[in-house]
Amino acid sequence: METSRPVVVKRMPERVNKLEARKFLQDVRPFLTADRPQLVFDLSHVKQLDAAGVEMLLQCVAEVMKRDGDLKLASLSKQALMVLELTRTDRLFEIYENSTEAARSFSGFLPNAMRPIPAYQQPAADLPLAA
């Protein structure tokens, strides 16, 4: 039986420019290259996100997806959200109100997928017809 993987939450720095993006990428690389990584980046403190920061986010999501994992964004500051919307990269990420919701979303679908569907919720074609 597979054990659940830990969800890693990392807070991004206030300024995500070329230098800070490089430092952050170096810091998270071990998590990006894990088997099926589950990451949440908290952007609540981000006051500056430039093109290098957006590029770093895209690099991170590409690395994670190569390993059958996922990267979600949480608590976006107004500035970070504006930059992601202007660059149209916001649609490439699942974005959550906070880190807790984002972390929960990794396991949220699994229990429901394993539960049998009660008879009253099954499509009519699957139910026996009354004689």
Side-chain angles (χ1 to χ4, degrees):
M1 187 172 149
E2 185 178 329
T3 59
S4 64
R5 289 172 170 60
V7 175
V8 176
V9 178
K10 298 296 279 178
R11 178 172 286 149
M12 293 185 67
E14 281 188 14
R15 305 204 180 287
V16 191
N17 51 32
K18 190 173 183 177
L19 178 64
E20 289 300 318
R22 192 177 301 143
K23 285 181 190 176
F24 185 78
L25 185 59
Q26 204 170 10
D27 182 40
V28 298
R29 188 166 306 282
F31 304 108
L32 297 173
T33 57
D35 181 42
R36 294 173 58 194
Q38 296 181 334
L39 291 168
V40 174
F41 287 173
D42 179 325
L43 284 79
S44 59
H45 287 61
V46 174
K47 292 181 181 170
Q48 176 199 4
L49 178 67
D50 67 11
V54 173
E55 186 178 326
M56 182 269 304
L57 285 172
L58 294 174
Q59 246 185 304
C60 289
V61 78
E63 284 297 316
V64 164
M65 292 181 108
K66 275 192 237 176
R67 290 164 177 82
D68 198 25
D70 204 358
L71 168 64
K72 301 178 184 195
L73 305 181
S75 305
L76 271 69
S77 65
K78 286 181 183 178
Q79 203 276 342
L81 181 59
M82 182 181 70
V83 170
L84 292 178
E85 286 175 346
L86 287 173
T87 57
R88 297 184 179 198
T89 51
D90 59 322
R91 62 182 103 168
L92 301 174
F93 298 93
E94 283 183 54
I95 298 174
Y96 291 85
E97 288 289 319
N98 58 57
S99 299
T100 304
E101 283 182 25
R104 276 195 193 126
S105 74
F106 281 104
S107 59
F109 70 92
L110 213 49
N112 293 334
M114 304 305 284
R115 279 189 209 135
I117 300 171
Y120 65 87
Q121 289 182 341
Q122 290 181 4
D126 295 343
L127 294 175
L129 297 174

